[in-house]
Amino acid sequence: MPTIQSLYDPNRPTLLLSLHPENTQAILTQTKRFEYRRRFYQDAFQAFVYTTGPNGGVDLFIQCETPIRGTADELAQLEQADPESLRQYFAGLESGLAIPISKVVELPKLSLATLKTRFSNFVAPRSYVFLDRPARQAQFAYFFQQPVSRMMVNEKKPR
């Protein structure tokens, strides 16, 4: 069985980021091809996703392209999102970011309890943390050993 390591791109930084369960589910069903953020890392990256909530844990690995900056209306056109909800989300800002999700890999869930037991420095990030830093090398190595359950590639390219 292939592991996440086989998909690793050494040219991209590796993050751990948090998403709400509804966003993780939308990514898995491929109804969400972009992650919208008010501010975020500005280059292409790969990330392990910590899904928040009572049953939270790390259950996805995603590869993302360079974020697209634009107004709420411009970003809404990328995947026919609700422009009003994006206007509310980006209220007070001239522009925001749409992060294209190019590859989605599902992995068996690593629960918060398991991660805290295994790593004394594990915290579910509020936004994101870099895993390829010395303080997180053990987590980085552990996550890359995880088996791939399912992989999906978003074929549509952003405009």
Side-chain angles (χ1 to χ4, degrees):
M1 178 178 285
T3 64
I4 298 295
Q5 177 68 42
S6 66
L7 305 171
Y8 174 65
D9 182 346
N11 298 311
R12 294 178 187 226
T14 305
L15 311 177
L16 173 65
L17 63 90
S18 290
L19 291 177
H20 292 291
E22 60 274 12
N23 291 326
T24 298
Q25 189 58 40
I27 289 170
L28 282 170
T29 60
Q30 294 189 295
T31 57
K32 180 178 181 66
R33 296 183 309 114
F34 294 88
E35 171 62 13
Y36 299 97
R37 297 282 173 125
R38 297 169 64 90
R39 60 185 182 278
F40 202 76
Y41 183 71
Q42 297 293 310
D43 294 316
F45 63 91
Q46 55 201 349
F48 289 92
V49 175
Y50 178 85
T51 302
T52 62
N55 296 316
V58 173
D59 51 2
L60 288 181
F61 175 74
I62 57 176
Q63 288 182 335
C64 297
E65 304 310 314
T66 302
I68 300 165
R69 182 168 293 283
T71 65
D73 290 330
E74 291 166 343
L75 297 179
Q77 293 175 19
L78 294 172
E79 73 178 338
Q80 290 73 46
D82 176 20
E84 187 53 39
S85 65
L86 284 179
R87 278 189 215 105
Q88 289 173 9
Y89 178 68
F90 293 125
L93 300 175
E94 289 183 26
S95 64
L97 299 170
I99 303 165
I101 302 167
S102 54
K103 188 177 287 181
V104 178
V105 180
E106 190 174 12
L107 54 126
K109 184 178 285 188
L110 302 168
S111 72
L112 179 59
T114 298
L115 294 168
K116 283 188 169 190
T117 299
R118 191 167 186 97
F119 305 104
S120 61
N121 67 338
F122 185 84
V123 292
R126 293 191 81 174
S127 181
Y128 66 93
V129 296
F130 287 94
L131 286 174
D132 41 12
R133 299 288 197 266
R136 304 233 182 249
Q137 284 299 300
Q139 292 172 32
F140 180 84
Y142 179 69
F143 288 145
F144 276 103
Q145 295 170 9
Q146 300 308 307
V148 171
S149 295
R150 177 171 61 132
M151 184 173 71
M152 297 160 280
V153 176
N154 286 324
E155 298 293 335
K156 294 181 184 176
K157 301 291 181 200
R159 297 178 204 186

